């Protein structure tokens, strides 16, 4: 069965030269510090805090509705500093998730309503189940599934998960098409 087309109003999204589709209803603070490598989708209500530090997002990444991406920080004696947030290719961040990680590898799936606390590192080919809250400085190993509050190891993913994530994210991007109104047909009645 062929997956259905995901439609959007063309006026609600800006498409860049490199194929990124960014909702006009998203908030990109410090846009000069937000680097999208191409063919990524930023949905309505998403907030990217590039004003705090650099945010790098790879190819075929999908940032869901009302997701928040902000670079991690560390407190020092006398102040604090923000560090860059790097996201690999084929990353799917579902709606209402808050990401404050130091690094997210490629082929990662983050479920809806997750909280990825400051300085977490998510290695390649892992999955975070919906509603998971990861404690600060958590390292999620490759091919691991984390879930719960607080987030903990739940299981292991097969080695084929990288190909599945690549196929899922590129397929979603291809199916994310502008809504096309049907053309009115004129019928002539014979007298």
């Amino acid at each position: 069965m062929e997956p259905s087309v995901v439609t959007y109003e063309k006026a609600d999204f800006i498409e860049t030269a490199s194929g990124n589709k960014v909702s006009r209803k998203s908030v990109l603070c410090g846009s000069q510090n937000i680097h999208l490598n191409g063919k990524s989708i930023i949905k309505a209500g998403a907030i990217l805090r590039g004003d705090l530090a650099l945010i790098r997002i790879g190819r075929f990444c999908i940032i869901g509705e009302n997701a928040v991406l902000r670079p991690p920080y560390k407190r020092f004696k006398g102040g604090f500093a923000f560090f860059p947030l790097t996201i690999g290719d084929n990353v799917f961040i579902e709606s209402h998730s808050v990401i404050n990680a130091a690094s997210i590898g490629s082929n990662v799936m983050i479920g809806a309503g997750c909280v990825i606390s400051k300085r977490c590192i998510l290695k390649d080919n892992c999955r975070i189940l919906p509603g998971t809250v990861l404690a600060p400085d958590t390292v999620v190993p490759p091919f691991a599934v984390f879930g719960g509050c607080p987030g903990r190891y739940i299981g292991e993913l097969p080695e084929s998960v990288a190909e599945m994530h690549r196929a899922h994210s590129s397929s979603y991007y291809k199916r994310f098409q502008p809504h096309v109104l049907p053309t009115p047909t004129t019928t002539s009645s014979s007298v």
Side-chain angles (χ1 to χ4, degrees):
M1 183 172 158
E2 184 69 23
S4 63
V5 173
V6 179
T7 61
Y8 65 92
E9 292 297 323
K10 190 171 178 94
D12 291 344
F13 279 80
I14 299 168
E15 187 164 356
T16 66
S18 58
N20 298 306
K21 297 176 183 180
V22 181
S23 171
R24 293 181 187 274
K25 296 177 183 172
S26 62
V27 179
L28 278 61
C29 302
S31 57
Q32 70 277 8
N33 289 331
I34 299 171
H35 297 227
L36 302 171
N37 284 342
K39 298 193 176 181
S40 291
I41 300 170
I42 312 289
K43 293 190 176 181
I47 300 172
L48 281 68
R49 296 294 310 269
D51 58 332
L52 303 174
L54 182 65
I55 297 176
R56 289 187 194 96
I57 299 175
R59 295 177 54 81
F60 292 108
C61 291
I62 290 85
I63 311 299
E65 293 92 355
N66 301 311
V68 178
L69 275 66
R70 63 176 174 239
Y73 66 91
K74 179 142 178 92
R75 287 194 179 138
F76 297 102
K77 219 191 280 188
F80 62 94
F82 285 93
F83 299 98
L85 166 59
T86 303
I87 298 175
D89 297 335
N90 308 304
V91 174
F92 204 105
I93 300 172
E94 292 186 12
S95 62
H96 302 284
S97 290
V98 178
I99 310 298
N100 205 6
S103 172
I104 297 174
S106 294
N107 310 313
V108 174
M109 175 81 73
I110 298 173
C114 289
V115 176
I116 310 299
S117 298
K118 59 187 176 183
R119 299 181 310 273
C120 287
I121 297 173
L122 281 64
K123 301 287 188 172
D124 294 345
N125 310 311
C126 65
R127 181 172 295 157
I128 308 298
L129 298 178
T132 300
V133 177
L134 291 181
D137 301 308
T138 301
V139 176
V140 178
F143 302 103
V145 178
F146 268 56
C149 180
R152 61 191 184 285
Y153 180 82
I154 300 291
E156 194 170 312
L157 294 169
E159 289 185 22
S160 63
V161 74
E163 187 55 41
M164 291 180 345
H165 280 280
R166 275 193 288 276
H168 176 44
S169 59
S170 64
S171 168
Y172 188 91
Y173 180 85
K174 290 173 188 169
R175 291 183 292 120
F176 194 74
Q177 298 295 322
H179 178 68
V180 179
L181 295 172
T183 56
T185 57
T186 56
T187 57
S188 59
S189 57
S190 52
V191 181

